[in-house]
Amino acid sequence: MNDLNLQRRNFLKTSLGAAAVAIAPGLMLFKVAQAKGEGASSKVRWGMLIDTAQCKPGCNECVTACSRENGWVNENRPTDPQWIRKIEIKDISSGRELSLPMMCQHCENPPCVDVCPTNASMKRADGIVLVDKHRCIGCRYCMMACPYKARSFVHEPLHDQNPDVPRGKGTVESCTLCVHRIDNGQQPACAEACPNQAILFGDLNDPASAIAQKVKSVATTQVRADLRLNPGVRYQGL
Amino acid sequence: MTKPCKSGCEGASLRCAMLASSPTFKVCPGRCVLHVLRCIRLADFFKASFAVFTALLTLTLLSPANAMETKPKIDIGKGGQCVKDTQWMRRNHMHLLKHQRDEALRKGLRDPQISLKNCIECHASIRDDSVIAREDSFCVACHKYEAVKLDCFECHSGKRKTAWLKEHAQ
Amino acid sequence: MSAYTSNQSRSPLYYTLLAIGVLVVLAGLYAVLLMEEHGHIITGMNNQIVWGMPHVFAIFLIIAASGVLNISSIGSVFNKPAYKARAPLAGLLSIAMLSGGLSVLMLDLGRPERIIVAATNYNPTSVFAWNILLYSGMFSAVALYLWTLMEQRMQPWSKPAGFLVFVWRFVLTTGTGVIFSFLVARQAYGTAILPPMFIVISFAWGMAVFHVVQSTIYAWNHLTLDEHVQKRMKNLMGVFVVAALYFVAAYHLTNLYFARQTEFERFILLNGGVYPLLFWGGYILLGNVLPLFLIYHPALGKSKCVIAASLLIILGGFALLYVLIIGGQAFPLSIFPGYQVSSSFGDGAIAHYQPSLWEMLLGAGGMGIAFVVTAIGIRVLDFVPREIPKAH
C-alpha cells in the first residue's frame, strides 16, 4: 500500500510538473500579448448603403479601388478573383435598367459561416464576415453556399501581396469590408473612391451615424431578403 | 494443415480461420510468406520490431553526422529587440505568432508591436527589404537549418511595408 | 480443392491488373502533386464551377460505399442467408470505395496539408465537419463488423455490429445528401428530397458495384452463381433502380411546378446542352431503361445481362451526378429574381466547364485506390462468398 501511495505521489508530481512546463509559455505570452484597445465589439455593426440612382453604368471606380487596395487582379479569366463587381441589371417585365456594385453582403446569418468545417469563415463581433486563412483548407463549400457569389478561390501561387492584406493560393477570399482600414479609422476603399458618393459606409447600430439615419428615412432593400440573412449591405432604388 | 501453426490457438483465432480458407495457403503452405507471417505470435512480432527500432535509433544517435558544428548565418536586418530576448524568441516566437494572429484576426485586437508586419519592419534585410528572399534572410536561415517549413509567406508578404509602399506608390 | 489450383496459372494476370491499378493511383497522386505546386489553375474548376469531376467521382464512390453495405444489412439485420454469405465482400468493397472517395475529396482541397486543422477545429453547424466524424467512424464500424463476421468467436456479435453499420450508413448517406440540401440559395439544391434520394440511389449503385465485383470474382475462380440467388439479387437491384428513378422524377416534377424553378429545369432537361444529353441519354436511357430491360425481360436476365445492366447503372450514376453537381453550378445564381443580369464575374451567364486531364486523373486515382484495396483484400483474406460452388 505504501509503495502504491509512493507511486501515486510520484506520478502526480511528474504530471503536475509536465503540465506546468506546458502551460508556462502560454502564461508568459499572456503578459506579452495583452493587447491594446478593445478590438471588435458587438455594439457596432458595420454596414453599407448603396444608392443605385447614383451608380453610373460603365463606371468601375469602386472595383478598381478595391483591386488596387487589396491586391487582386482580374483579367477576365474564370479563375480570377473578384471581390467586388459591377452588375448591370434589367427588370424583365418593366425594362428598367440599373447598375450596382455587388460584394460580400456581410450577412448577420451568413450561410458561408454555417457551412465552413473549420470555422475559417467567421463573423467578427462587429458584423464583418471574414475568412481566417490560417484555418481555411480550401474546400470551397462556402463558395457553394453563398447566395451572392461573393467569394473567390485563389487558383494560383501569389507573389508580392500587400502586407496589410494577406492572400494565398488554395484559400478562399472575399470582400473584407477593408477591415485593415476600418480598424485604422478609415473607410473601405470602394466607399472612398466612388465619384458619386453612391456607397455610404458606417455603423448601423449608431443612431447618430449618417447611414443609420438614412436607412431609417428612405426605402432600402437587401438583396435576396427572402433568405432572411439580414445582410449589412443595403441598396436604395432597387 | 501440413505444418503445425506456432501460434497454438488451434483454429479459434481469426488468423487461423483465415489460413484455413486462403487460396494462397492452399497452393503452397510450406513456403507461403503470408503463412509464415500469419503464424508469428503477436508478442514475438513486437519483440522483433522493438529490437530493430532500438538498433536503428542507436545507430542514428551514434552517427558522426549528428555533431552540430555549423550555425546558420542570419541576416537580422535592422536587428534590435522590442518584444523579448533572443533566446526566448527562438523558443517561443511560433507560439507568440499563433496567439497574436487569432487575437488580431478573429477579435480585432491588433497590437502593432507584436504584429507580423512589425517584426518584418525591423528584421527584413537592409539589402532587399525581405525576410525570405535569400538563403540567409531572417526567417529562412533558421527555418532551413531546422528543416521546418515556413507556411506564413504563402499568404503574408515577406517584404518590409515601408519598402512595399514605396514600390507601389502611384 | 481443385477449384483453387487454377489460380496459380492466373497469377501473372492478377499481378498485372494490380500493377495497372497501382499505376492509376500513382497517376492520380502525380496530379495531386501538380495541383499542390501550381494550384487549381491546372484544373477546369473555377470561381463559377467550384466542384468538378473529382467531386463527381468522390461522391459516387462514397454513395456506392454506403449502398453496397445493403447486402450485408439484408444478411445480418434481415437474416437472409444468401446475403449473409456475401456480407464480408460487401464490407470490403465499402471500405475500399470509401477510401477511394475520401482520398479524392481530401486531395482536391486547396490546402490538403491542413487536414489536421480540419480534424481539430470543428464547426458544429457544418455538415462537412460532421462528415469527417461520420466517414472515419464508418471505417471503424465496418472493420468491427468484418471482424465479427470472419472470426468464429465473434459471430454472435455480428448481428448488433450489422445493425450499427446499418444505422451508421443511413446517417452517413443523409450527411452526404444534406451537403447539397443545406445550400438554400442554389436552385438545384436546397431541397429536403436529396437525402432520401441519395439513400435510395445508394442502394441501386451499391448493388450494381457488388454485382460487377461478384461476377468478376466468380468468373475468375471458374465458379457459377446459384441461379436462384442471382435471380433474387438482380430483381432486387431492379427494384432499387426503379425506386431511385422515382425520387429523381419527384425531384424534377416538383421543381417544374414552381415558377421560379422553371428556367432551371428547362436548362437541365431541355436546352442546357450537355446536361439534358447526359440526363436523358446517360441517366434515363442508359442508366435506367436499358438496365431494367436487361434485368426484367423474361428471355434475358442471365449473368452476362446482369453485368451489363450493372455497368450501365454505374454509368448512369456518373451521368446523374455530373448533371446534379456540375449542372447545378453551371446555372447562374438567381441573385436578382425577375431581373436580367450581366457582369464581369459571370452573373446571369451559364458557366462553362472543361475538365482537365489532372482532375480526371485525380478521380481515376480514387477508383484505382478502391480497386487496389479490393484486389489485395480478396487475395489475402477470405472474402469470396462461401457457398457450394458449381465448378465447370
Side-chain angles (χ1 to χ4, degrees), chain C residues 131-247:
Chain C
N131 280 345
I132 293 176
L133 293 168
L134 284 172
Y135 292 162
S136 32
M138 189 79 195
F139 277 112
S140 319
V142 176
L144 178 75
Y145 178 53
L146 280 177
W147 181 42
T148 61
L149 284 175
M150 296 173 76
E151 166 123 16
Q152 280 175 325
R153 291 176 296 189
M154 296 300 293
Q155 295 272 351
W157 290 96
S158 66
K159 198 160 173 168
F163 188 70
L164 170 71
V165 165
F166 178 69
V167 170
W168 199 289
R169 73 179 167 92
F170 264 75
V171 178
L172 184 143
T173 319
T174 306
T176 313
V178 298
I179 291 175
F180 297 98
S181 290
F182 287 170
L183 301 180
V184 65
R186 294 205 181 240
Q187 288 175 290
Y189 314 132
T191 161
I193 202 176
L194 288 176
M197 183 168 110
F198 274 39
I199 285 183
V200 177
I201 279 181
S202 78
F203 295 165
W205 296 352
M207 200 94 186
V209 170
F210 188 84
H211 266 123
V212 171
V213 175
Q214 180 179 248
S215 309
T216 313
I217 293 176
Y218 271 71
W220 187 277
N221 291 314
H222 301 296
L223 302 169
T224 316
L225 183 58
D226 176 49
E227 270 187 32
H228 179 65
V229 172
Q230 177 173 83
K231 185 161 184 216
R232 290 185 59 180
M233 285 185 79
K234 82 162 165 74
N235 282 348
L236 187 59
M237 185 163 75
V239 167
F240 289 152
V241 170
V242 172
L245 182 62
Y246 162 74
F247 270 92

Side-chain angles (χ1 to χ4, degrees), chain A residues 139-141 144, chain C residues 45 49-52 55 128 179-180 326 329:
Chain A
C139 70
R140 289 104 72 203
Y141 197 16
M144 290 290 267
Chain C
M45 293 179 270
I49 307 282
V50 160
W51 288 346
H55 298 83
F128 263 22
I179 291 175
F180 297 98
I326 295 170
Q329 297 173 76

Side-chain angles (χ1 to χ4, degrees), chain C residues 240-269:
Chain C
F240 289 152
V241 170
V242 172
L245 182 62
Y246 162 74
F247 270 92
V248 174
Y251 164 82
H252 283 288
L253 286 170
T254 318
N255 260 348
L256 279 165
Y257 197 87
F258 295 126
R260 64 186 162 131
Q261 298 284 77
T262 312
E263 211 183 311
F264 167 70
E265 284 293 319
R266 282 171 61 101
F267 171 73
I268 292 289
L269 299 177

Side-chain angles (χ1 to χ4, degrees), chain A residues 83-142:
Chain A
W83 292 22
I84 178 175
R85 63 203 190 264
K86 284 296 293 296
I87 304 188
E88 317 292 325
I89 69 175
K90 178 174 167 179
D91 189 328
I92 296 175
S93 40
S94 71
R96 176 169 159 256
E97 290 183 15
L98 267 182
S99 176
L100 48 83
M102 169 64 54
M103 70 295 275
C104 170
Q105 303 285 287
H106 298 282
C107 310
E108 187 178 6
N109 303 311
C112 61
V113 173
D114 284 337
V115 299
C116 178
T118 60
N119 272 323
S121 184
M122 51 163 274
K123 190 177 70 158
R124 216 166 74 151
D126 55 0
I128 304 181
V129 176
L130 296 167
V131 179
D132 182 350
K133 305 208 187 130
H134 307 120
R135 287 206 209 171
C136 179
I137 57 174
C139 70
R140 289 104 72 203
Y141 197 16
C142 59

Side-chain angles (χ1 to χ4, degrees), chain A residues 4-235:
Chain A
L4 191 62
N5 280 339
L6 202 65
Q7 277 184 324
R8 283 193 187 137
R9 206 180 290 180
N10 284 333
F11 174 72
L12 282 171
K13 272 195 253 177
T14 358
S15 34
L16 277 172
V21 168
I23 299 173
L27 290 172
M28 290 196 278
L29 280 171
F30 183 69
K31 261 204 283 198
V32 175
Q34 213 135 53
K36 308 190 168 69
E38 292 169 355
S41 153
S42 52
K43 295 197 203 92
V44 169
R45 176 142 192 231
W46 296 118
M48 291 208 286
L49 175 59
I50 296 171
D51 187 353
T52 59
Q54 303 304 322
C55 189
K56 299 284 170 275
C59 173
N60 255 332
E61 290 300 312
C62 50
V63 177
T64 317
C66 175
S67 157
R68 201 175 294 143
E69 173 69 29
N70 294 298
W72 54 268
V73 175
N74 184 305
E75 282 157 351
N76 273 320
R77 293 183 301 174
T79 51
D80 284 333
Q82 186 135 30
W83 292 22
I84 178 175
R85 63 203 190 264
K86 284 296 293 296
I87 304 188
E88 317 292 325
I89 69 175
K90 178 174 167 179
D91 189 328
I92 296 175
S93 40
S94 71
R96 176 169 159 256
E97 290 183 15
L98 267 182
S99 176
L100 48 83
M102 169 64 54
M103 70 295 275
C104 170
Q105 303 285 287
H106 298 282
C107 310
E108 187 178 6
N109 303 311
C112 61
V113 173
D114 284 337
V115 299
C116 178
T118 60
N119 272 323
S121 184
M122 51 163 274
K123 190 177 70 158
R124 216 166 74 151
D126 55 0
I128 304 181
V129 176
L130 296 167
V131 179
D132 182 350
K133 305 208 187 130
H134 307 120
R135 287 206 209 171
C136 179
I137 57 174
C139 70
R140 289 104 72 203
Y141 197 16
C142 59
M143 292 175 71
M144 290 290 267
C146 179
Y148 308 104
K149 210 166 60 158
R151 293 213 156 159
S152 306
F153 181 63
V154 183
H155 290 80
E156 42 193 350
L158 297 176
H159 307 284
D160 203 27
Q161 293 95 318
N162 181 342
D164 287 325
V165 185
R167 329 167 34 222
K169 167 176 78 79
T171 57
V172 172
E173 56 182 10
S174 67
C175 157
T176 58
L177 218 52
C178 281
V179 64
H180 58 286
R181 288 172 65 106
I182 290 177
D183 285 351
N184 228 5
Q186 296 170 293
Q187 297 247 318
C190 54
E192 209 171 79
C194 180
N196 301 333
Q197 282 90 48
I199 303 180
L200 178 61
F201 167 81
D203 178 9
L204 288 165
N205 278 353
D206 176 13
S209 72
I211 187 174
Q213 287 178 342
K214 200 161 181 200
V215 163
K216 205 168 176 187
S217 54
V218 303
T220 59
T221 50
Q222 297 161 321
V223 179
R224 288 306 302 268
D226 61 304
L227 296 176
R228 304 291 189 93
L229 305 173
N230 194 13
V233 177
R234 302 182 77 99
Y235 291 81

